[in-house]
Structures are given as C-alpha cells and as structure tokens.
C-alpha cells in the first residue's frame, strides 16, 4: 500500500493544524480518564435516545463547525486582504473556500437547525418524544461521522478543492487527482443519509404525535416551518444521494457519467447538484423564518399577524424551490427559453417571501416590544435579509446575471441572505430556547455586546463585496494585482471579518460566563412565552410532559395563562420511555471507517466495514427492547422538585 | 404498550402505525431517488461512445424470467401477509420463503446478465449509456439483495417469536418494500428493456 497518499505536503499551516488536533485529542482523552468521565459520557450522551440531548449534541457539533468554518473564512479574507498576498498558495486557497462552503452549509447551518428542531419540536406539539427515538440517534451519529470524515480530509490525504458545488469536469479524477473529492462524495453521502432519516422521523412526529386538539392550523409557526422543511428534505436529498453516488462511481470505478468523452455529460452534474442544492437553501432558511415568527410574537406580546398567509407562503416557497435550480448556471449556454423560465420562477419566490416580511412588520405594529438579545437579532434580520433579497432579484434576471455571474457580488448576495436568514436565526433561537434546556438565561449584556459586534462587522465584511463584484472581481481567485484597485475594499472586508470573529468569541464566552454565574431560573417561563414548550419545567424532565396537554387554540400556553383555559386536565399516570442504546453510535463509527476506506480505495477493509454495517442493522432489528416505565409517583415527585415545591 | 384489538395486528399499537406511516414517507423518498436514476438513464440512453447500444445487448429471455420471478414474488408476499392476518404462522413462513427464493433467483439472473455484458465488452467504464444502465439496474438489484437479507432476518424472528404485533409490523413493512421494488421493476422492464429493444 502506498502510504504517501495519506500525507499532506508542504504547508506549515497544515502541519500546525495536525499538531493542534493531536494535542487536543490527547487532552480530551487524558481529561476524560483523569476526571473518570468515560462512563458518564457513554451512559448520558453517546447512547442517549432522548431528543433533547441529541439536539444539544447537534448544536455543540454545529458550534464546533462554526469555529472551523470561521477559521477558513478568516484565512480567505486575510489572503485577499491586500494585493499579491503570499499567505496561502493557490491549491490551499481552493481547499479552504471549498470546505468553508461545505462546512458552513451542511455541517453548521443544517445541524444547528436540526438541533433546535430536535430540542423544541416534540415540546411545541405537546409530545413525549419523536416518533422514532433510536432512529433519531442513528441520524445524529451518521451526520456527526460524516462531518468528522470531511474534517480529517485536510490532514489526511487532502481536502476537496473544486468548490462546494464540485462542478465537473473540475471535480473529476483527471483535474482533481487528490482524494479530496472522494472525501466530498462519501462524507456528504453518510451525513446526507442521516438527514434523510431525520426528515422521515420529523414528518411522522409532527403529523402523528401532536397533542389532542392541536389541528394543523393550530400548530406553532416553527413547527409548521419544520414540517415543510422536512418535506423538502425527503424530496430533495435522494437527488443528492444519487448525484454523490454517481460522483463516487466516476472517481473510484471509472464510470462515464460526468466525463468529457465516452458519452459523459458534465452539465448533468450541475443539474443534479442544484436540483438538490437550491431546495437546500430553503431547508436552512424556512426553519429560520419559523424561529423569527416565534420570537417576534413572544417579544411583541401579540399573535402572529397573518398566520394563514404565513403557512401558505411557506408552502409556495417550498414548491417554487424545486423549479429554480437552473438559475445557478444561466451563463452555461442553455438557451433563452430555459433562462426565461428559470428567471421568472426565481423572481416569483420574492413574492411569498415579501408576504412574510410584511407579516412580521405588522406583528410588530402596536406591539409591546421588549428588546432582548433574540429580538435584536430578529429585528436586525429584517432589513439585512431584505438587502439580500433585493440583490437576489437582481441576480435572478438572466440577462443581467451575465454581468454578475461568478463575481463577488454573488458572494455578497448569498452571505446577505444566508447569514441573517440562517445564522442570526439559529443564534436568536439559541438565546431564546437556552433557558428551556439548561434552566438559566444567557447574560443579556454580553449577548448584546456580541450582537453589535456581529451585526456591524457583518455589514463591514460583506457590503464591500457588492462593489468589488460590480468592479469585476471574480470569486475564488486567490490573489490579484495592485492595478486592479481591489485592495482597499478587500482590506475593509478583512477588518470586518476580524470583527465578526470577535463577536462570535464574545458569544461563546457568554455561554461560559452564564453557565458559571447566571442565576438559575425557577419559573420555567422566562420570556413569558406563548407555545407549549414553555409549559414544561426547566430543565425539561426526560418524559417532557407529566400530563399530555389538551390544546384548544393557537398559542395554547398563552391562552392558558391569559384566559385560564385549562391545559393539563388529565391525571398523572406511568410514562413509557425507550432505553438507551449504543448501537446507533457503533453504526456511525463503522460508517466512518467504511467511508474512510472507500476514500482511499482500500477495498478489502471497505468490504469488511460494509458487512459490519449490515450486521449492525440486523442487530438493531433483532433487538427486543420494550423500554421502561416511569412510575406515576416518581413523575409526581420529579414535577414537584422541578417546580420548586418541597416534596 | 397499549394494543388496540380492533385493528389488524401490524397496526395495533401507536408505535406500529407510526412505523408504517414512516415507511410510506420513506417510500416517498425512494420515488425521487429512482426518478433521478431514470432521468440520468434517459439523458444517457443514446450516448454509446464506442460501446454497444441497448439494442445490441438486451435479450428478452432472461429479462422475461426476471419479470416473472419478481411479479410472482410480489403476489406471494401478498399471500404471506394474508396468512399473517389469519394467524397461520407456517403458511406465512412458507410464502415468505418462496418470495425470498424468487428474489434470490432474480438476483442470480441479474448477476449472470451483468457477467454476460462485461464479457461482451460492455462495462461500467465503456460509455455514459452503460454507466447509467449498470447503476440503475444495480441500484434496483441492490435493493432486492438488501430485501433478501432483511426478509430473512424477519423470518428468523417470526420463527422464534411467532406472529406478534412487532413481527407482524415488520413483515407488513417488508411487504410494502417488496411491492415497491416490483413497481420500479415494471418501469425498468418497460422503459429500459422493451423500449431499448425496439
């Protein structure tokens, strides 16, 4: 075997990363052993099937990935900060922008949203769990192992370097001969399967496990947005599965799908990728809309304005999201009629999105607004996202796009959409739901500091890119000459990126500080919330609701508080819960090795791992686990304790 | 676990009916999966490069045999579920066994077909057309193979535990999967083989 394949050559930065990864790993292993936490880690986290804990793990992983993608971002902005920079070489720059895009979309934004979804959805619909708790653990471990597989690529074998969209023929073996794009196909495949399972799981959870009385049109808006998102996942992710499989066949087995000769067709990749890739944008953005709707209603003390139109606009967005994919390659010669069709469908998305913006504004109107940290992010989202939306309509015009295509204008546009549309939303949701999960609030003062750093720096970073794009600076070029005149604006953008990093550091520090010093919350309803998740004690007991609530109106908890509509009418009885299981974790680890062996074309170990996967699936099928019951007395005692009463 | 006796065994608990609904949603995801593979095939169908075309490769004999086996097995899995509803464990195991054997026969013929193609110089690497053909047929074949292992596992559980809400649920979901593979095959038979031979 050729050990040389595993090595990454010649980059001091990468050697530094290797050393720090090794040190961090050793540190974690030593720390776990020293504090005797192995058993705790295994029992409480690695084997858990509790949707709240799985959600917390998703969010932790997403925060880690935010850090990694953020380092990539800083490196890119530094490399382009001044003309003729020599910080990164061209190959390394290619790898950095590729993994930045992949990680931020697939391993930061999506898991963060899926994490919030895991924690909150069963609570919001008054359910005790998701429909398939063990499958939920499988989803998480597949996502996590896929993410790890992509992350080791830059120290073992080399990262993908053909852009996050991996266009062929650039991503083919001929033009991208390192194993980087093998990692791309396998890491995304493994975590994508996990996402698809999540999609199925949450569709069933939301449609079948709502509390009695909660009709579809009484569901909280976040639940609605998650339902629609999961429908998009179920229809879009199989396309990615196929595309990645074909990519793998082309690169590992020499098939001719995307080649330039022998009957292959490189444009087929672009089409398949974006048939998944465009709906993916809405997979990360629709839940964000749901989060904002909850926060605006809560902190304006008003019902969400235009609930029905909100739901319909999301349904329309989800349908249109499948009809716009070709706007990603207007300039690749597909003819006037095709461009016109996709131009019109793309612009049409602005209409339902505009409806939502106006609904939020009308919710704010005459509301009693409190400016908490989550509310600040929400209020900042509206104008910034609108700038992103308007520039999106500019890009949607096929003829004009011949000017903007592949320039920094595009980069500015999608950061103006995705950062307020996804990142601000998950941060807002994180601050908003944090006390529900952990039983104390994050510090507001630190939260607001981080907010101002992030909001101002965001605009300093990305607004100059609009002008750079219009000046003709193409994206993905690793350096430029001084005569181009791109220098000053790029420097400004770099300064903004540093500010953003400071903002995120304050945010993380806030988590640390609040964990140590913030007073514990005994009310379980710190924001005066409206939906059912605030009706459980904080931190939430394993069974969520001691008594399943009876829902009569929208915002049922608000109605219970304001108008004394009774919520919990039944008696406490014994509660059935599933047992923990280590099998999903083991399955994930085997998938990790399967992916790794395939990346390096190590066939015999790969076959062994493949057999291992089948054995694990069989083991899960043969498992006769009926779970256990929490006795009624124990439920009553737990409830009293969590509500601060003496037993 | 509450068992609702008014419903068939496979639907009798909340968990069971959720699992069946969840599997329907999963099959909903299998539709775009195969639709994408068919689309890729139709894009590639005339891109032979220097390799053979479908007309030169396809033979009706083995394909008819495959069709016969798979369609009949879809009928026998129906009989197995029918036996299950009446609580006849032995009959159910018998029909499931027949189903799986026919599935195995199908896989055998398909493997033989692939060997024949490769022997004739039509490999995955030859042309865009053949790549898409092998991957479309191979994905369906992999589903059937996986189904064989899955079904065998369920038969072992049936044999050990008898017809319980859990095993009935698994067998019913397996039957949905098997019928779905049959539907996909009908599309492959019509639009790949018959159309290719025209």
């Amino acid at each position: 075997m050729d050990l040389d394949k595993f090595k990454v050559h010649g980059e001091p930065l990468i050697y530094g990363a290797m050393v720090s990864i090794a040190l961090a790993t050793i540190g974690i292993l030593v720390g776990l052993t020293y504090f005797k936490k192995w058993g705790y880690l295994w029992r409480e986290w690695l084997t858990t099937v509790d949707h709240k804990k799985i959600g917390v793990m998703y969010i932790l992983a997403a925060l880690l990935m935010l850090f990694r993608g953020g380092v990539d971002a800083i490196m890119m902005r530094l490399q382009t900060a001044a003309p003729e920079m020599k910080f990164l070489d061209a190959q390394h720059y290619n790898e950095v922008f590729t993994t930045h895009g992949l990680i931020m979309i697939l391993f930061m934004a999506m898991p963060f949203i899926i994490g919030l979804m895991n924690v909150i959805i069963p609570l919001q619909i008054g359910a005790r769990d998701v429909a398939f708790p063990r499958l939920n653990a499988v989803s998480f471990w597949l996502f996590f192992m896929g993410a790890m597989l992509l992350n080791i690529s830059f120290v073992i074998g080399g990262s993908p370097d053909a852009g996050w969209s991996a266009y062929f023929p650039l991503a083919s073996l001929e033009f991208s001969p390192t194993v980087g794009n093998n990692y791309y196909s396998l890491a995304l495949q493994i975590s994508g399967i996990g996402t698809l399972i999540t999609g199925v799981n949450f569709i069933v959870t939301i449609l079948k496990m709502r509390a009695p009385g909660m009709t579809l049109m009484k569901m909280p808006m976040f639940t609605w947005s998650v339902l629609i998102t999961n429908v998009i996942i179920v229809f879009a992710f199989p396309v990615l599965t196929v595309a990645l499989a074909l990519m793998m066949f082309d690169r590992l087995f020499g098939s001719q799908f995307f080649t330039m000769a022998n009957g292959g067709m490189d444009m087929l990749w672009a089409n398949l990728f974006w048939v998944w890739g465009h709906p993916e944008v809405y997979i990360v953005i629709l839940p964000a809309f749901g989060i904002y709707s909850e926060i605006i209603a809560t902190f304006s003390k008003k019902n969400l304005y235009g609930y029905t139109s909100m739901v319909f606009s999301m349904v329309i967005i989800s349908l249109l999201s499948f009809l716009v994919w070709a706007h990603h390659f207007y300039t690749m010669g597909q003819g006037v009629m095709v461009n016109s069709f996709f131009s019109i469908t793309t612009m049409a998305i602005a209409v339902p999105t505009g409806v939502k913006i106006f609904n939020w504004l009308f919710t704010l109107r005459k509301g009693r607004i409190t400016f908490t940290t989550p509310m600040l992010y929400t209020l900042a989202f509206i104008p910034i996202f609108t700038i992103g939306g308007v520039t999106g309509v500019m890009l949607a015009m096929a003829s004009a796009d011949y000017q903007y295509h592949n320039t920094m204008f595009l980069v500015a546009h999608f950061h103006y959409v995705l950062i307020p549309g996804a990142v601000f939303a998950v941060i807002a949701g994180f601050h908003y739901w944090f006390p529900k999960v952990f039983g104390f609030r994050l510090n507001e003062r630190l939260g607001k500091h981080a907010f101002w750093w992030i909001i101002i720096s965001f605009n300093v970073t990305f607004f100059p890119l609009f002008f750079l794009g219009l000046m003709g600076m193409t994206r993905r070029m690793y350096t430029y000459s001084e005569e181009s005149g791109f220098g000053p604006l790029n420097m400004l953008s770099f300064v903004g990126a540093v500010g953003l990093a400071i903002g995120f550091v304050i945010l993380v520090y806030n988590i640390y500080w609040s964990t140590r010093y913030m007073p514990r919350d005994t009310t379980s309803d710190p924001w005066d919330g409206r939906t059912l998740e605030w009706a459980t004690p904080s931190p939430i007991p394993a069974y969520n609701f001691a008594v399943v609530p009876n829902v009569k109106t929208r915002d049922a908890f608000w109605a219970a508080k304001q108008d004394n509509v009774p919520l919990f009418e039944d008696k406490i009885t014994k509660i059935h819960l599933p047992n923990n299981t280590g099998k999903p974790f083991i399955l994930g680890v085997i998938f990790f090795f399967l992916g790794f062996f395939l990346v390096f074309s190590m066939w015999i170990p790969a076959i062994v791992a493949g057999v291992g996967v089948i054995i694990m699936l069989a083991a899960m099928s043969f498992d006769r686990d009926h779970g256990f019951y929490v006795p009624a007395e124990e439920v009553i005692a737990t409830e009293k304790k969590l509500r601060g009463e003496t037993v | 676990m509450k068992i609702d006796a008014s419903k068939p065994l496979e639907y009798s608990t909340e968990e069971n009916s959720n699992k069946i609904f969840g599997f329907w949603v999963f099959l909903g995801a299998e539709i775009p999966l195969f639709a994408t593979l068919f689309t890729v095939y139709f894009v590639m169908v005339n891109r032979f490069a220097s390799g053979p075309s479908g007309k030169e490769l396809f033979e009706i004999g083995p394909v008819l045999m495959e069709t016969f086996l798979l369609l009949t097995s879809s009928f026998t899995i129906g009989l197995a579920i029918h036996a299950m509803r009446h609580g006849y464990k032995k009959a159910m195991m018998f029909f499931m066994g027949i189903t799986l054997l026919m599935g195995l026969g199908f896989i055998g013929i398909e493997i033989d077909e692939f060997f024949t193609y490769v022997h004739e110089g039509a490999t995955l690497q030859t042309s865009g057309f053949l790549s898409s053909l092998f991957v479309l047929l191979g994905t369906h074949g992999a589903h059937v193979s996986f189904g064989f292992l899955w079904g065998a596992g369920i038969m072992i559980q049936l044999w050990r535990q008898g017809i319980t809400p859990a095993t009935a649920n698994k067998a019913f979901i397996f039957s949905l999967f098997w019928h779905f593979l049959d539907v996909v095959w009908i599309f492959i038979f019509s639009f790949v083989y018959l159309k290719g031979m025209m």
Side-chain angles (χ1 to χ4, degrees):
Chain A
M1 198 169 54
D2 185 11
L3 278 175
D4 218 35
K5 279 193 304 190
F6 295 111
K7 288 191 194 133
V8 180
H9 293 287
E11 274 282 332
L13 280 171
I14 294 178
Y15 292 142
M18 281 181 192
V19 173
S20 56
I21 288 175
L23 288 179
T25 314
I26 293 168
I28 292 168
L29 296 180
V30 169
L32 281 171
T33 315
Y34 183 78
F35 292 106
K36 297 193 174 61
K37 289 288 183 195
W38 284 104
Y40 165 80
L41 187 69
W42 177 257
R43 280 189 306 274
E44 295 292 318
W45 296 97
L46 300 187
T47 60
T48 190
V49 291
D50 183 335
H51 67 91
K52 300 170 288 281
K53 283 186 176 166
I54 290 174
V56 170
M57 289 197 289
Y58 264 115
I59 291 169
L60 265 176
L63 283 171
L64 268 176
M65 292 296 108
L66 177 71
F67 175 73
R68 201 236 132 141
V71 171
D72 283 348
I74 294 276
M75 292 201 313
M76 270 190 282
R77 289 287 100 216
L78 177 60
Q79 168 60 27
T80 52
E84 317 279 5
M85 280 284 272
K86 296 284 187 296
F87 176 59
L88 302 172
D89 63 30
Q91 172 63 20
H92 195 188
Y93 187 77
N94 289 349
E95 294 178 7
V96 167
F97 72 64
T98 301
T99 48
H100 169 75
L102 274 178
I103 286 188
M104 285 305 200
I105 299 268
L106 287 156
F107 299 119
M108 192 284 289
M110 272 192 84
F112 212 133
I113 279 161
I114 292 177
L116 289 174
M117 187 162 121
N118 257 294
V119 174
I120 296 305
I121 289 299
L123 299 172
Q124 266 199 341
I125 61 175
R128 292 229 165 96
D129 210 333
V130 295
F132 312 116
R134 282 192 293 172
L135 216 48
N136 203 18
V138 172
S139 290
F140 172 74
W141 289 113
L142 289 183
F143 144 72
F144 185 78
M145 294 301 166
M148 288 303 110
L149 192 60
L150 188 73
N151 269 284
I152 61 165
S153 70
F154 82 111
V155 288
I156 305 175
S159 295
D161 55 3
W164 92 284
S165 48
Y167 278 162
F168 278 81
L170 191 59
S172 68
L173 206 53
E174 193 184 351
F175 296 102
S176 196
T178 68
V179 292
N181 281 294
N182 297 355
Y183 271 115
Y184 178 103
S185 66
L186 286 149
L188 264 61
Q189 187 72 283
I190 291 170
S191 57
I193 296 167
T195 309
L196 179 65
I197 298 172
T198 298
V200 173
N201 205 342
F202 276 85
I203 289 177
V204 179
T205 305
I206 296 174
L207 289 180
K208 298 280 252 182
M209 298 185 67
R210 275 167 290 134
M214 186 183 277
T215 57
L216 284 178
M217 290 312 264
K218 285 187 189 128
M219 290 198 309
M221 195 50 68
F222 181 56
T223 305
W224 254 116
S225 69
V226 166
L227 175 63
I228 293 168
T229 302
N230 283 300
V231 173
I232 303 179
I233 286 177
V234 163
F235 282 99
F237 265 75
V239 183
L240 178 72
T241 305
V242 171
L244 291 171
L246 303 188
M247 180 183 196
M248 185 185 78
F249 279 114
D250 260 17
R251 290 188 56 92
L252 295 180
F253 306 113
S255 62
Q256 310 286 351
F257 288 105
F258 309 125
T259 47
M260 297 296 278
N262 297 322
M265 190 197 239
D266 53 337
M267 280 308 292
L268 184 61
W269 170 264
N271 279 284
L272 290 179
F273 181 84
W274 287 113
V275 167
W276 161 78
H278 201 84
E280 167 67 21
V281 172
Y282 294 93
I283 292 171
V284 295
I285 254 173
L286 287 180
F289 290 170
I291 294 169
Y292 288 135
S293 302
E294 300 289 337
I295 290 174
I296 284 191
T298 302
F299 295 114
S300 306
K301 299 248 182 296
K302 278 179 68 189
N303 295 331
L304 190 66
Y305 182 90
Y307 178 96
T308 319
S309 61
M310 225 46 172
V311 172
F312 278 101
S313 66
M314 281 196 287
V315 173
I316 292 165
I317 289 173
S318 73
L319 296 176
L320 283 174
S321 74
F322 283 93
L323 297 176
V324 303
W325 79 89
H327 73 214
H328 292 270
F329 38 88
Y330 280 145
T331 61
M332 297 192 202
Q334 54 199 350
V336 176
M337 278 313 288
V338 175
N339 274 357
S340 307
F341 173 81
F342 284 99
S343 190
I344 291 165
T345 48
T346 303
M347 284 190 248
I349 287 195
V351 177
T353 316
V355 167
K356 302 178 79 65
I357 300 269
F358 282 111
N359 281 343
W360 289 317
L361 293 177
F362 281 120
T363 311
L364 290 168
R365 184 173 175 268
K366 289 190 175 175
R368 275 181 288 143
I369 299 171
T370 34
F371 294 94
T372 57
T373 310
M375 187 63 167
L376 284 177
Y377 280 105
T378 308
L379 294 175
F381 150 80
I382 295 174
I384 296 176
F385 186 79
T386 307
I387 296 174
V390 169
T391 51
V393 176
M394 287 168 75
L395 284 159
M397 291 183 276
S399 47
D401 186 60
Y402 276 78
Q403 179 67 24
Y404 317 127
H405 187 80
N406 247 353
T407 67
M408 294 309 263
F409 187 88
L410 170 74
V411 176
H413 154 70
F414 69 68
H415 283 89
Y416 260 82
V417 186
L418 277 174
I419 292 187
V423 181
F424 291 179
V426 292
I427 298 174
F430 182 75
H431 281 86
Y432 179 61
W433 281 309
F434 191 90
K436 182 80 285 180
V437 179
F438 295 103
F440 58 93
R441 279 193 250 196
L442 291 171
N443 182 290
E444 279 290 306
R445 215 178 110 78
L446 281 171
K448 282 173 188 167
H449 269 292
F451 166 80
W452 287 112
W453 274 98
I454 288 173
I455 294 299
I456 293 170
S457 309
F458 166 81
N459 286 292
V460 175
T461 311
F462 294 105
F463 210 76
L465 302 189
F466 283 122
F467 295 105
L468 282 170
L470 294 176
M471 284 159 73
M473 183 180 174
T474 56
R475 64 170 170 161
R476 292 173 177 173
M477 55 187 219
Y478 88 110
T479 194
Y480 49 88
S481 68
E482 192 164 0
E483 293 76 44
S484 62
F486 299 154
L489 284 172
N490 270 305
M491 181 54 86
L492 184 62
S493 174
F494 170 64
V495 171
V498 173
L500 263 175
I502 294 171
F504 282 111
V505 168
I506 299 173
L507 197 149
V508 172
Y509 176 72
N510 190 6
I511 301 172
Y512 164 78
W513 193 92
S514 307
T515 309
R516 294 199 64 171
Y517 304 115
M518 281 300 279
R520 305 296 121 159
D521 167 44
T522 49
T523 61
S524 83
D525 182 22
W527 310 115
D528 201 5
R530 309 174 68 83
T531 40
L532 285 178
E533 72 266 31
W534 303 106
T536 69
S538 315
I540 316 144
Y543 49 78
N544 293 356
F545 293 92
V547 172
V548 173
N550 285 301
V551 175
K552 294 178 188 71
T553 55
R554 272 177 211 158
D555 293 346
F557 186 52
W558 184 253
K561 287 190 292 189
Q562 292 311 102
D563 311 324
N564 284 320
V565 182
L567 201 53
F568 301 107
E569 293 166 305
D570 304 333
K571 275 220 307 269
I572 292 179
T573 53
K574 62 179 179 174
I575 293 171
H576 181 257
L577 286 176
N579 283 316
N580 284 1
T581 165
K583 292 194 181 80
F585 173 71
I586 298 168
L587 182 70
V589 172
I590 297 176
F591 257 105
F592 175 86
F593 282 105
L594 175 63
F596 184 81
F597 295 141
L598 284 174
V599 165
F600 289 97
S601 307
M602 295 152 73
W603 305 121
I604 292 165
I607 291 167
V608 173
V611 172
V613 167
I614 290 173
I615 291 173
M616 279 318 292
L617 291 178
M620 288 174 82
S621 168
F622 277 76
D623 211 351
R624 292 178 72 186
D625 178 9
H626 299 304
F628 65 97
Y629 280 96
V630 186
E633 304 81 60
E634 199 183 316
V635 176
I636 293 168
T638 315
E639 285 293 302
K640 278 189 175 160
K641 194 168 148 238
L642 289 170
R643 305 258 181 211
E645 299 165 33
T646 45
V647 185
Chain B
M1 197 69 28
K2 264 189 300 210
I3 296 180
D4 183 352
S6 69
K7 287 183 182 149
L9 212 49
E10 67 270 20
Y11 281 99
S12 58
T13 68
E14 194 197 341
E15 192 188 340
N16 274 5
S17 77
N18 283 352
K19 278 183 178 166
I20 291 170
F21 179 63
F23 198 76
W24 277 109
V25 177
F26 172 75
L27 287 182
E30 290 274 74
I31 292 170
L33 183 101
F34 277 102
T36 310
L37 285 170
F38 275 107
T39 309
V40 170
Y41 177 77
F42 292 138
V43 169
M44 293 290 185
V45 70
N46 290 320
R47 298 177 155 252
F48 309 121
S50 51
S53 70
K55 208 169 188 152
E56 290 158 23
L57 281 178
F58 297 151
E59 285 175 61
I60 192 75
V63 177
L64 273 178
M65 194 61 205
E66 283 178 293
T67 310
F68 170 76
L69 282 174
L70 210 58
L71 262 63
T72 316
S73 76
S74 203
F75 176 64
T76 54
I77 191 69
L79 291 177
I81 297 302
H82 190 69
M84 179 182 90
R85 288 256 170 96
H86 288 82
Y88 302 146
K89 179 178 154 189
K90 272 187 189 158
M92 181 187 177
M93 299 268 296
F94 173 76
F95 284 121
M96 259 190 102
I98 299 273
T99 307
L100 293 183
L101 284 178
M102 282 196 264
L104 205 58
F106 172 89
I107 299 162
I109 298 172
E110 186 156 75
I111 290 173
D112 181 63
E113 186 190 335
F114 280 12
F115 271 112
T116 315
Y117 290 169
V118 172
H119 192 70
E120 290 167 4
T123 67
L124 182 75
Q125 292 85 9
T126 309
S127 67
F129 160 69
L130 284 166
S131 297
S132 62
L133 179 75
F134 275 112
V135 169
L136 173 59
L137 296 180
T139 308
H140 178 265
H143 273 71
V144 178
S145 310
F146 176 76
F148 176 80
L149 293 175
W150 184 16
I154 293 172
M155 278 185 69
I156 296 172
Q157 293 176 43
L158 267 172
W159 174 58
R160 282 195 196 158
Q161 300 162 25
I163 301 174
T164 65
T167 52
N169 187 245
K170 287 178 186 186
F172 184 77
I173 288 173
F174 173 75
S175 79
L176 292 179
F177 181 72
W178 203 260
H179 290 311
F180 177 78
L181 294 184
D182 209 28
V183 174
V184 174
W185 179 258
I186 291 168
F187 279 90
I188 291 178
F189 178 70
S190 318
F191 293 106
V192 175
Y193 288 109
L194 289 186
K195 194 166 169 292
M197 276 183 262
M198 275 196 313

